[in-house]
Amino acid sequence: HKTSYHLTIACDGHGGYPYFRSEKGAEFAIFSIEKILPTHIDEVATMLSESNRDCLSQSLEVCQKKILSLIVPSLLTEWKNEVASHLAENPITEKELEFLEMEKKQEASHYRKAMEESDIDKKKELLRPIYGSTFLCVVVAETFWFALQIGDGDIALHDESGFFMPIPEDERIFLNFTTS
């Protein structure tokens, strides 16, 4: 890629009993953005360049959606692949389930049932939450910047007028429920 940039990432595994591999999920999220961002950064730079009248003439919201649709699907696919590889190489152990069962019997039962699922894709989807992690990143290049967030957490920026939150709150996040 030609566009130089700085990347700041913060990922935090959910840490609750049902997310007993969330530390790994956070690591995979960091690895995933570091892997996919270089393949997309020049396209983002082109989209946001002053010479690109299409993006500049559109609303900021339209431009944001274009950037999100470029990066987020690749990020999620890479993360899901990392999770699937880790799970294939490190199947859930009886010890992990017994530990979970002590605190959350229903979730342990859910994962036991998921492990018996014959449809491999459905099985991966049902077991993926054990790796749950929030994801926040900020990308800063010479002529643009953007921030991405999956799940709870906040990104605050400061300029001469004070602090502001560049990412709107996700109304789906409430109490212990998060989109990550």
Side-chain angles (χ1 to χ4, degrees):
H1 62 87
K2 297 181 291 185
T3 306
S4 65
Y5 62 91
H6 298 278
L7 171 65
T8 301
I9 313 162
C11 296
D12 182 29
H14 294 323
Y17 289 101
Y19 316 104
F20 50 89
R21 293 189 179 177
S22 64
E23 180 180 336
K24 282 287 183 199
E27 288 176 26
F28 298 151
I30 293 168
F31 172 81
S32 296
I33 192 66
E34 289 175 336
K35 183 176 179 181
I36 67 105
L37 189 59
T39 65
H40 297 296
I41 195 69
D42 289 335
E43 190 172 348
V44 172
T46 300
M47 287 169 51
L48 296 174
S49 73
E50 288 187 24
S51 61
N52 185 352
R53 298 283 175 230
D54 285 347
C55 200
L56 292 177
S57 65
Q58 298 168 347
S59 73
L60 182 59
E61 189 174 312
V62 170
C63 204
Q64 288 171 337
K65 286 181 180 175
K66 283 184 178 181
I67 293 169
L68 287 174
S69 67
L70 179 67
I71 294 174
V72 172
S74 298
L75 172 65
L76 292 177
T77 297
E78 185 61 38
W79 182 82
K80 288 175 183 179
N81 289 341
E82 288 296 318
V83 166
S85 292
H86 186 266
L87 196 53
E89 294 169 15
N90 304 279
I92 296 173
T93 65
E94 186 59 33
K95 188 175 181 179
E96 286 173 314
L97 290 174
E98 285 172 1
F99 182 73
L100 177 58
E101 214 161 42
M102 288 189 293
E103 295 296 324
K104 302 280 187 177
K105 286 186 192 280
Q106 187 174 350
E107 279 88 347
S109 175
H110 169 77
Y111 291 139
R112 283 184 196 282
K113 186 177 176 187
M115 289 169 58
E116 296 170 8
E117 176 62 53
S118 59
D119 180 330
I120 299 299
D121 290 333
K122 187 171 183 178
K123 181 177 183 175
K124 289 178 192 176
E125 184 181 331
L126 291 169
L127 295 176
R128 198 175 296 130
I130 68 174
Y131 292 89
S133 173
T134 57
F135 173 86
L136 302 120
C137 84
V138 177
V139 177
V140 179
E142 187 176 337
T143 59
F144 66 88
W145 69 270
F146 63 90
L148 298 172
Q149 177 177 333
I150 300 173
D152 55 347
D154 291 310
I155 296 175
L157 299 177
H158 186 270
D159 64 13
E160 60 278 349
S161 62
F163 284 96
F164 66 99
M165 310 283 260
I167 298 176
E169 274 193 49
D170 186 340
E171 292 83 28
R172 297 173 296 172
I173 297 173
F174 182 71
L175 296 175
N176 285 340
F177 179 78
T178 181
T179 52
S180 58

